[in-house]
Amino acid sequence: MNDLRDLIKITESDITDIKEAKNDSQFDRLSLKEEKLKSFEQKKAIIDHEISSLMTKYPEMDLPELINPEQHLQLEELKVELNNLRDVNKHYARLVLVVSNLYNTFLERVVPTEMQGYNKVASKNASILEVRV
């Protein structure tokens, strides 16, 4: 659960920083984010395995019958935190898309491109790139 909460906090920091164009701090947190994600995935795999084992061992019973109230509450908390992470990630993804589109628009204006087949290449008429001596 702590890994999810940490991922949410990191992503919220990324949201704050992308709004202020602080790219370096986002990149600095990337390895921590990957570490937290890997840790969560490992823990989730263990949970999935345990639930699967219980369901296989007692196929006639539903999951709520197989776990105690505390475990059920923890699974509900996990669900809530996963939803929170999804919402924060969606918000961050929208901001990343906006920044990416802005960057691509600026780049297109500075270095005009043209299509050659399916590839975009710098236009031969990109006068801004002329070197004058």
Side-chain angles (χ1 to χ4, degrees):
M1 200 73 67
N2 288 335
D3 290 332
L4 279 178
R5 290 184 183 126
D6 289 345
L7 282 167
I8 291 168
K9 287 178 188 173
I10 293 168
T11 305
E12 287 171 340
S13 296
D14 289 345
I15 289 170
T16 300
D17 288 345
I18 199 169
K19 289 178 179 179
E20 297 173 8
K22 294 181 179 176
N23 300 329
D24 290 340
S25 53
Q26 290 178 69
F27 293 128
D28 291 343
R29 283 189 296 271
L30 191 56
S31 62
L32 176 61
K33 202 173 192 178
E34 289 172 349
E35 176 186 313
K36 293 292 180 181
L37 185 58
K38 186 176 182 178
S39 174
F40 169 72
E41 287 173 342
Q42 290 171 341
K43 291 172 186 170
K44 184 183 174 301
I46 293 169
I47 292 169
D48 289 344
H49 176 73
E50 291 301 319
I51 289 173
S52 178
S53 294
L54 281 172
M55 302 283 294
T56 302
K57 190 173 182 179
Y58 304 102
E60 70 284 350
M61 298 175 77
D62 292 330
L63 180 61
E65 299 170 312
L66 295 173
I67 59 176
N68 66 41
E70 183 181 335
Q71 292 168 326
H72 183 70
L73 183 62
Q74 289 173 338
L75 285 176
E76 286 300 315
E77 284 181 45
L78 179 62
K79 184 178 175 181
V80 167
E81 292 301 325
L82 282 169
N83 283 329
N84 290 340
L85 180 60
R86 183 198 67 216
D87 293 343
V88 170
N89 276 334
K90 282 171 58 174
H91 183 197
Y92 182 61
R94 283 193 293 268
L95 292 173
V96 168
L97 184 61
V98 168
V99 170
S100 175
N101 287 340
L102 180 67
Y103 171 78
N104 288 335
T105 300
F106 286 154
L107 185 61
E108 178 67 30
R109 288 183 182 167
V110 172
V111 183
T113 59
E114 56 188 37
M115 294 300 292
Q116 283 187 356
Y118 290 109
N119 298 321
K120 271 189 172 183
V121 295
S123 172
K124 293 179 179 113
N125 298 326
S127 61
I128 195 163
L129 298 178
E130 275 183 29
V131 178
R132 297 182 184 174
V133 186

